[in-house]
Amino acid sequence: MITMVLGTDMAFHFESVGTFKNRVGGSGFDPKVAEDRTFVLKLGLHCADISNPVKPPVISKQWTDRVMEEFYQQGDKERALGMPISPFYDREKDGIQNVGKCQIGFIDFIIKPLYEVWAAHFPECSHCLDVCSYDSNITIVCSGIRGQKALAPRSNFVVAVSITESAVLE
């Protein structure tokens, strides 16, 4: 159990994705070998742990808001302690405008590579890649603000990033 939980640590993300990719493209995995089973289960749990962007829009937006608030609270504590504020954690400087940047980076550099290799081994999960095909030129209109970039996938999934609660994705 501890091994599974530790497998969700982002410190191991790139190493795990690389290892999985090499194994999928090479010798594969043997379900009879305990180490192989454990590794696949750990990566599956990691996929679930960071799966927010591949969820339906309403759920994804709620979790994005919660995670960003957690980041901002950490930034508030760093400010109060006179420490440098971590990137994307400064609600006063970065504000809600960087939520989209965070999500784009998260999708492009974390979610997409992970789910590409996962779907190569488990094709039934390939629908999760739909969120990685977004058109960043779509704009959102909210509270009289025009021209803010939003993510609009070319499928039935939407990466729900908004400037305010009243945002309308078009």
Side-chain angles (χ1 to χ4, degrees):
M1 182 57 80
I2 293 171
T3 301
M4 294 296 143
V5 173
L6 292 175
T8 65
D9 189 334
M10 287 300 296
F12 305 114
H13 173 82
F14 294 105
E15 178 185 345
S16 296
V17 170
T19 299
F20 194 80
K21 185 175 185 175
N22 290 337
R23 292 289 301 277
V24 167
S27 62
F29 294 94
D30 183 350
K32 295 176 185 168
V33 175
E35 293 83 18
D36 283 0
R37 285 193 313 269
T38 299
F39 183 75
V40 172
L41 288 171
K42 281 192 325 188
L43 199 61
L45 186 58
H46 181 53
C47 284
D49 184 46
I50 63 172
S51 67
N52 175 49
V54 301
K55 292 182 174 150
V58 172
I59 295 169
S60 180
K61 183 179 182 322
Q62 290 173 0
W63 281 104
T64 297
D65 291 345
R66 288 178 180 130
V67 167
M68 291 307 297
E69 180 56 31
E70 182 180 328
F71 289 172
Y72 292 147
Q73 287 177 10
Q74 179 176 327
D76 295 344
K77 288 178 184 175
E78 290 169 345
R79 175 180 286 107
L81 295 170
M83 298 171 59
I85 300 172
S86 301
F88 299 110
Y89 289 27
D90 190 341
R91 78 172 76 235
E92 292 176 14
K93 178 182 165 229
D94 299 331
I96 196 72
Q97 293 85 348
N98 280 334
V99 175
K101 289 180 186 176
C102 277
Q103 290 300 294
I104 289 170
F106 187 59
I107 291 167
D108 286 348
F109 298 107
I110 304 294
I111 296 297
K112 185 176 181 180
L114 173 60
Y115 277 92
E116 282 176 340
V117 72
W118 188 255
H121 191 67
F122 297 104
E124 59 273 16
C125 296
S126 62
H127 68 279
C128 295
L129 289 169
D130 291 343
V131 75
C132 300
S133 298
Y134 59 82
D135 181 352
S136 62
N137 294 318
I138 302 298
T139 59
I140 61 172
V141 178
C142 59
S143 300
I145 300 172
R146 293 188 172 270
Q148 296 290 328
K149 294 228 173 174
L151 305 179
R154 297 181 183 113
S155 72
N156 61 337
F157 287 100
V158 173
V159 177
V161 175
S162 66
I163 304 303
T164 68
E165 290 296 319
S166 61
V168 177
L169 293 175
E170 299 264 349

PDB file of all heavy atoms in Angstrom, residues 58-81:
ATOM      1  N   VAL A  58     -17.561  20.205 -15.534  1.00  0.00           N
ATOM      2  CA  VAL A  58     -18.031  20.690 -14.242  1.00  0.00           C
ATOM      3  C   VAL A  58     -17.134  20.169 -13.117  1.00  0.00           C
ATOM      4  O   VAL A  58     -16.737  20.923 -12.229  1.00  0.00           O
ATOM      5  CB  VAL A  58     -19.505  20.286 -14.003  1.00  0.00           C
ATOM      6  CG1 VAL A  58     -19.955  20.617 -12.606  1.00  0.00           C
ATOM      7  CG2 VAL A  58     -20.402  20.960 -15.029  1.00  0.00           C
ATOM      8  N   ILE A  59     -16.794  18.912 -13.184  1.00  0.00           N
ATOM      9  CA  ILE A  59     -15.943  18.313 -12.162  1.00  0.00           C
ATOM     10  C   ILE A  59     -14.521  18.856 -12.277  1.00  0.00           C
ATOM     11  O   ILE A  59     -13.898  19.220 -11.276  1.00  0.00           O
ATOM     12  CB  ILE A  59     -15.959  16.774 -12.274  1.00  0.00           C
ATOM     13  CG1 ILE A  59     -17.366  16.250 -11.968  1.00  0.00           C
ATOM     14  CG2 ILE A  59     -14.922  16.144 -11.344  1.00  0.00           C
ATOM     15  CD1 ILE A  59     -17.568  14.800 -12.296  1.00  0.00           C
ATOM     16  N   SER A  60     -14.014  18.939 -13.483  1.00  0.00           N
ATOM     17  CA  SER A  60     -12.658  19.431 -13.694  1.00  0.00           C
ATOM     18  C   SER A  60     -12.486  20.844 -13.157  1.00  0.00           C
ATOM     19  O   SER A  60     -11.501  21.156 -12.485  1.00  0.00           O
ATOM     20  CB  SER A  60     -12.314  19.387 -15.181  1.00  0.00           C
ATOM     21  OG  SER A  60     -11.013  19.862 -15.396  1.00  0.00           O
ATOM     22  N   LYS A  61     -13.447  21.708 -13.432  1.00  0.00           N
ATOM     23  CA  LYS A  61     -13.349  23.094 -12.972  1.00  0.00           C
ATOM     24  C   LYS A  61     -13.362  23.171 -11.448  1.00  0.00           C
ATOM     25  O   LYS A  61     -12.598  23.915 -10.849  1.00  0.00           O
ATOM     26  CB  LYS A  61     -14.451  23.967 -13.539  1.00  0.00           C
ATOM     27  CG  LYS A  61     -14.255  25.420 -13.082  1.00  0.00           C
ATOM     28  CD  LYS A  61     -15.281  26.347 -13.600  1.00  0.00           C
ATOM     29  CE  LYS A  61     -15.030  27.762 -13.162  1.00  0.00           C
ATOM     30  NZ  LYS A  61     -14.527  27.951 -11.819  1.00  0.00           N
ATOM     31  N   GLN A  62     -14.227  22.383 -10.824  1.00  0.00           N
ATOM     32  CA  GLN A  62     -14.278  22.387  -9.356  1.00  0.00           C
ATOM     33  C   GLN A  62     -12.924  21.996  -8.761  1.00  0.00           C
ATOM     34  O   GLN A  62     -12.441  22.629  -7.822  1.00  0.00           O
ATOM     35  CB  GLN A  62     -15.363  21.439  -8.856  1.00  0.00           C
ATOM     36  CG  GLN A  62     -16.765  21.914  -9.132  1.00  0.00           C
ATOM     37  CD  GLN A  62     -17.806  20.855  -8.781  1.00  0.00           C
ATOM     38  OE1 GLN A  62     -17.489  19.766  -8.322  1.00  0.00           O
ATOM     39  NE2 GLN A  62     -19.064  21.183  -9.011  1.00  0.00           N
ATOM     40  N   TRP A  63     -12.310  20.959  -9.317  1.00  0.00           N
ATOM     41  CA  TRP A  63     -11.033  20.502  -8.784  1.00  0.00           C
ATOM     42  C   TRP A  63      -9.912  21.475  -9.124  1.00  0.00           C
ATOM     43  O   TRP A  63      -9.004  21.682  -8.308  1.00  0.00           O
ATOM     44  CB  TRP A  63     -10.724  19.083  -9.242  1.00  0.00           C
ATOM     45  CG  TRP A  63     -11.487  18.100  -8.423  1.00  0.00           C
ATOM     46  CD1 TRP A  63     -12.598  17.414  -8.795  1.00  0.00           C
ATOM     47  CD2 TRP A  63     -11.233  17.764  -7.064  1.00  0.00           C
ATOM     48  NE1 TRP A  63     -13.050  16.652  -7.750  1.00  0.00           N
ATOM     49  CE2 TRP A  63     -12.221  16.842  -6.670  1.00  0.00           C
ATOM     50  CE3 TRP A  63     -10.274  18.137  -6.132  1.00  0.00           C
ATOM     51  CZ2 TRP A  63     -12.274  16.306  -5.398  1.00  0.00           C
ATOM     52  CZ3 TRP A  63     -10.321  17.591  -4.862  1.00  0.00           C
ATOM     53  CH2 TRP A  63     -11.310  16.682  -4.508  1.00  0.00           C
ATOM     54  N   THR A  64      -9.970  22.071 -10.299  1.00  0.00           N
ATOM     55  CA  THR A  64      -8.968  23.087 -10.644  1.00  0.00           C
ATOM     56  C   THR A  64      -9.037  24.232  -9.656  1.00  0.00           C
ATOM     57  O   THR A  64      -8.005  24.704  -9.156  1.00  0.00           O
ATOM     58  CB  THR A  64      -9.186  23.603 -12.084  1.00  0.00           C
ATOM     59  OG1 THR A  64      -8.997  22.524 -13.001  1.00  0.00           O
ATOM     60  CG2 THR A  64      -8.236  24.733 -12.427  1.00  0.00           C
ATOM     61  N   ASP A  65     -10.249  24.690  -9.351  1.00  0.00           N
ATOM     62  CA  ASP A  65     -10.417  25.784  -8.382  1.00  0.00           C
ATOM     63  C   ASP A  65      -9.859  25.396  -7.016  1.00  0.00           C
ATOM     64  O   ASP A  65      -9.197  26.190  -6.344  1.00  0.00           O
ATOM     65  CB  ASP A  65     -11.890  26.181  -8.252  1.00  0.00           C
ATOM     66  CG  ASP A  65     -12.437  26.858  -9.493  1.00  0.00           C
ATOM     67  OD1 ASP A  65     -11.643  27.284 -10.364  1.00  0.00           O
ATOM     68  OD2 ASP A  65     -13.677  26.960  -9.598  1.00  0.00           O
ATOM     69  N   ARG A  66     -10.121  24.159  -6.594  1.00  0.00           N
ATOM     70  CA  ARG A  66      -9.638  23.702  -5.281  1.00  0.00           C
ATOM     71  C   ARG A  66      -8.107  23.640  -5.241  1.00  0.00           C
ATOM     72  O   ARG A  66      -7.482  24.056  -4.262  1.00  0.00           O
ATOM     73  CB  ARG A  66     -10.219  22.331  -4.953  1.00  0.00           C
ATOM     74  CG  ARG A  66     -11.689  22.365  -4.618  1.00  0.00           C
ATOM     75  CD  ARG A  66     -12.221  20.969  -4.351  1.00  0.00           C
ATOM     76  NE  ARG A  66     -13.620  21.023  -4.032  1.00  0.00           N
ATOM     77  CZ  ARG A  66     -14.543  20.272  -4.610  1.00  0.00           C
ATOM     78  NH1 ARG A  66     -14.198  19.387  -5.527  1.00  0.00           N
ATOM     79  NH2 ARG A  66     -15.808  20.380  -4.273  1.00  0.00           N
ATOM     80  N   VAL A  67      -7.512  23.094  -6.296  1.00  0.00           N
ATOM     81  CA  VAL A  67      -6.056  22.984  -6.339  1.00  0.00           C
ATOM     82  C   VAL A  67      -5.421  24.367  -6.378  1.00  0.00           C
ATOM     83  O   VAL A  67      -4.445  24.633  -5.661  1.00  0.00           O
ATOM     84  CB  VAL A  67      -5.615  22.133  -7.553  1.00  0.00           C
ATOM     85  CG1 VAL A  67      -4.121  22.258  -7.807  1.00  0.00           C
ATOM     86  CG2 VAL A  67      -5.999  20.677  -7.341  1.00  0.00           C
ATOM     87  N   MET A  68      -5.979  25.271  -7.186  1.00  0.00           N
ATOM     88  CA  MET A  68      -5.412  26.621  -7.265  1.00  0.00           C
ATOM     89  C   MET A  68      -5.536  27.334  -5.915  1.00  0.00           C
ATOM     90  O   MET A  68      -4.618  28.040  -5.503  1.00  0.00           O
ATOM     91  CB  MET A  68      -6.069  27.427  -8.376  1.00  0.00           C
ATOM     92  CG  MET A  68      -5.738  26.930  -9.788  1.00  0.00           C
ATOM     93  SD  MET A  68      -3.972  26.762 -10.162  1.00  0.00           S
ATOM     94  CE  MET A  68      -3.420  28.453 -10.014  1.00  0.00           C
ATOM     95  N   GLU A  69      -6.638  27.138  -5.226  1.00  0.00           N
ATOM     96  CA  GLU A  69      -6.791  27.756  -3.903  1.00  0.00           C
ATOM     97  C   GLU A  69      -5.744  27.193  -2.929  1.00  0.00           C
ATOM     98  O   GLU A  69      -5.177  27.928  -2.127  1.00  0.00           O
ATOM     99  CB  GLU A  69      -8.203  27.551  -3.354  1.00  0.00           C
ATOM    100  CG  GLU A  69      -8.433  28.170  -1.993  1.00  0.00           C
ATOM    101  CD  GLU A  69      -8.128  29.670  -1.902  1.00  0.00           C
ATOM    102  OE1 GLU A  69      -8.286  30.392  -2.917  1.00  0.00           O
ATOM    103  OE2 GLU A  69      -7.729  30.126  -0.808  1.00  0.00           O
ATOM    104  N   GLU A  70      -5.471  25.899  -3.022  1.00  0.00           N
ATOM    105  CA  GLU A  70      -4.425  25.303  -2.183  1.00  0.00           C
ATOM    106  C   GLU A  70      -3.067  25.934  -2.507  1.00  0.00           C
ATOM    107  O   GLU A  70      -2.292  26.264  -1.605  1.00  0.00           O
ATOM    108  CB  GLU A  70      -4.385  23.796  -2.416  1.00  0.00           C
ATOM    109  CG  GLU A  70      -3.371  23.064  -1.576  1.00  0.00           C
ATOM    110  CD  GLU A  70      -3.365  21.568  -1.844  1.00  0.00           C
ATOM    111  OE1 GLU A  70      -4.413  20.996  -2.157  1.00  0.00           O
ATOM    112  OE2 GLU A  70      -2.271  20.984  -1.740  1.00  0.00           O
ATOM    113  N   PHE A  71      -2.776  26.117  -3.793  1.00  0.00           N
ATOM    114  CA  PHE A  71      -1.527  26.769  -4.195  1.00  0.00           C
ATOM    115  C   PHE A  71      -1.461  28.185  -3.628  1.00  0.00           C
ATOM    116  O   PHE A  71      -0.431  28.609  -3.103  1.00  0.00           O
ATOM    117  CB  PHE A  71      -1.411  26.842  -5.714  1.00  0.00           C
ATOM    118  CG  PHE A  71      -1.170  25.525  -6.412  1.00  0.00           C
ATOM    119  CD1 PHE A  71      -1.217  25.473  -7.792  1.00  0.00           C
ATOM    120  CD2 PHE A  71      -0.916  24.347  -5.721  1.00  0.00           C
ATOM    121  CE1 PHE A  71      -0.998  24.284  -8.469  1.00  0.00           C
ATOM    122  CE2 PHE A  71      -0.704  23.149  -6.389  1.00  0.00           C
ATOM    123  CZ  PHE A  71      -0.742  23.123  -7.773  1.00  0.00           C
ATOM    124  N   TYR A  72      -2.560  28.938  -3.755  1.00  0.00           N
ATOM    125  CA  TYR A  72      -2.580  30.321  -3.268  1.00  0.00           C
ATOM    126  C   TYR A  72      -2.408  30.383  -1.751  1.00  0.00           C
ATOM    127  O   TYR A  72      -1.738  31.274  -1.236  1.00  0.00           O
ATOM    128  CB  TYR A  72      -3.864  31.034  -3.690  1.00  0.00           C
ATOM    129  CG  TYR A  72      -3.952  31.279  -5.183  1.00  0.00           C
ATOM    130  CD1 TYR A  72      -5.180  31.259  -5.829  1.00  0.00           C
ATOM    131  CD2 TYR A  72      -2.825  31.529  -5.949  1.00  0.00           C
ATOM    132  CE1 TYR A  72      -5.276  31.487  -7.189  1.00  0.00           C
ATOM    133  CE2 TYR A  72      -2.916  31.751  -7.307  1.00  0.00           C
ATOM    134  CZ  TYR A  72      -4.137  31.727  -7.929  1.00  0.00           C
ATOM    135  OH  TYR A  72      -4.229  31.955  -9.280  1.00  0.00           O
ATOM    136  N   GLN A  73      -2.999  29.428  -1.035  1.00  0.00           N
ATOM    137  CA  GLN A  73      -2.825  29.405   0.424  1.00  0.00           C
ATOM    138  C   GLN A  73      -1.363  29.160   0.789  1.00  0.00           C
ATOM    139  O   GLN A  73      -0.844  29.766   1.729  1.00  0.00           O
ATOM    140  CB  GLN A  73      -3.742  28.364   1.054  1.00  0.00           C
ATOM    141  CG  GLN A  73      -5.196  28.778   1.061  1.00  0.00           C
ATOM    142  CD  GLN A  73      -6.109  27.708   1.633  1.00  0.00           C
ATOM    143  OE1 GLN A  73      -5.663  26.720   2.194  1.00  0.00           O
ATOM    144  NE2 GLN A  73      -7.410  27.916   1.490  1.00  0.00           N
ATOM    145  N   GLN A  74      -0.700  28.280   0.043  1.00  0.00           N
ATOM    146  CA  GLN A  74       0.724  28.057   0.292  1.00  0.00           C
ATOM    147  C   GLN A  74       1.499  29.340  -0.001  1.00  0.00           C
ATOM    148  O   GLN A  74       2.383  29.727   0.768  1.00  0.00           O
ATOM    149  CB  GLN A  74       1.275  26.925  -0.563  1.00  0.00           C
ATOM    150  CG  GLN A  74       2.770  26.710  -0.325  1.00  0.00           C
ATOM    151  CD  GLN A  74       3.331  25.532  -1.083  1.00  0.00           C
ATOM    152  OE1 GLN A  74       2.655  24.530  -1.291  1.00  0.00           O
ATOM    153  NE2 GLN A  74       4.590  25.644  -1.493  1.00  0.00           N
ATOM    154  N   GLY A  75       1.165  30.020  -1.099  1.00  0.00           N
ATOM    155  CA  GLY A  75       1.819  31.286  -1.424  1.00  0.00           C
ATOM    156  C   GLY A  75       1.591  32.340  -0.353  1.00  0.00           C
ATOM    157  O   GLY A  75       2.502  33.109  -0.015  1.00  0.00           O
ATOM    158  N   ASP A  76       0.379  32.371   0.206  1.00  0.00           N
ATOM    159  CA  ASP A  76       0.073  33.302   1.297  1.00  0.00           C
ATOM    160  C   ASP A  76       0.974  33.026   2.498  1.00  0.00           C
ATOM    161  O   ASP A  76       1.486  33.950   3.137  1.00  0.00           O
ATOM    162  CB  ASP A  76      -1.396  33.195   1.720  1.00  0.00           C
ATOM    163  CG  ASP A  76      -2.373  33.627   0.638  1.00  0.00           C
ATOM    164  OD1 ASP A  76      -1.953  34.295  -0.334  1.00  0.00           O
ATOM    165  OD2 ASP A  76      -3.566  33.280   0.768  1.00  0.00           O
ATOM    166  N   LYS A  77       1.160  31.751   2.811  1.00  0.00           N
ATOM    167  CA  LYS A  77       2.017  31.379   3.950  1.00  0.00           C
ATOM    168  C   LYS A  77       3.476  31.727   3.661  1.00  0.00           C
ATOM    169  O   LYS A  77       4.191  32.207   4.546  1.00  0.00           O
ATOM    170  CB  LYS A  77       1.863  29.894   4.273  1.00  0.00           C
ATOM    171  CG  LYS A  77       0.528  29.573   4.910  1.00  0.00           C
ATOM    172  CD  LYS A  77       0.362  28.095   5.191  1.00  0.00           C
ATOM    173  CE  LYS A  77      -1.036  27.848   5.746  1.00  0.00           C
ATOM    174  NZ  LYS A  77      -1.299  26.433   5.933  1.00  0.00           N
ATOM    175  N   GLU A  78       3.906  31.480   2.422  1.00  0.00           N
ATOM    176  CA  GLU A  78       5.278  31.834   2.055  1.00  0.00           C
ATOM    177  C   GLU A  78       5.485  33.347   2.194  1.00  0.00           C
ATOM    178  O   GLU A  78       6.519  33.782   2.713  1.00  0.00           O
ATOM    179  CB  GLU A  78       5.569  31.376   0.612  1.00  0.00           C
ATOM    180  CG  GLU A  78       5.649  29.865   0.481  1.00  0.00           C
ATOM    181  CD  GLU A  78       5.675  29.369  -0.957  1.00  0.00           C
ATOM    182  OE1 GLU A  78       5.355  30.150  -1.895  1.00  0.00           O
ATOM    183  OE2 GLU A  78       6.020  28.188  -1.164  1.00  0.00           O
ATOM    184  N   ARG A  79       4.521  34.142   1.757  1.00  0.00           N
ATOM    185  CA  ARG A  79       4.601  35.605   1.884  1.00  0.00           C
ATOM    186  C   ARG A  79       4.672  36.006   3.356  1.00  0.00           C
ATOM    187  O   ARG A  79       5.500  36.835   3.750  1.00  0.00           O
ATOM    188  CB  ARG A  79       3.409  36.281   1.214  1.00  0.00           C
ATOM    189  CG  ARG A  79       3.385  37.817   1.416  1.00  0.00           C
ATOM    190  CD  ARG A  79       2.219  38.517   0.757  1.00  0.00           C
ATOM    191  NE  ARG A  79       2.435  38.558  -0.681  1.00  0.00           N
ATOM    192  CZ  ARG A  79       1.784  37.814  -1.576  1.00  0.00           C
ATOM    193  NH1 ARG A  79       0.829  36.996  -1.195  1.00  0.00           N
ATOM    194  NH2 ARG A  79       2.053  37.898  -2.852  1.00  0.00           N
ATOM    195  N   ALA A  80       3.810  35.409   4.174  1.00  0.00           N
ATOM    196  CA  ALA A  80       3.765  35.752   5.598  1.00  0.00           C
ATOM    197  C   ALA A  80       5.080  35.421   6.300  1.00  0.00           C
ATOM    198  O   ALA A  80       5.469  36.098   7.253  1.00  0.00           O
ATOM    199  CB  ALA A  80       2.604  35.016   6.286  1.00  0.00           C
ATOM    200  N   LEU A  81       5.778  34.401   5.810  1.00  0.00           N
ATOM    201  CA  LEU A  81       7.057  34.010   6.405  1.00  0.00           C
ATOM    202  C   LEU A  81       8.245  34.725   5.769  1.00  0.00           C
ATOM    203  O   LEU A  81       9.399  34.453   6.124  1.00  0.00           O
ATOM    204  CB  LEU A  81       7.244  32.491   6.285  1.00  0.00           C
ATOM    205  CG  LEU A  81       6.256  31.640   7.078  1.00  0.00           C
ATOM    206  CD1 LEU A  81       6.380  30.168   6.697  1.00  0.00           C
ATOM    207  CD2 LEU A  81       6.487  31.831   8.577  1.00  0.00           C
TER     208      LEU A  81
END
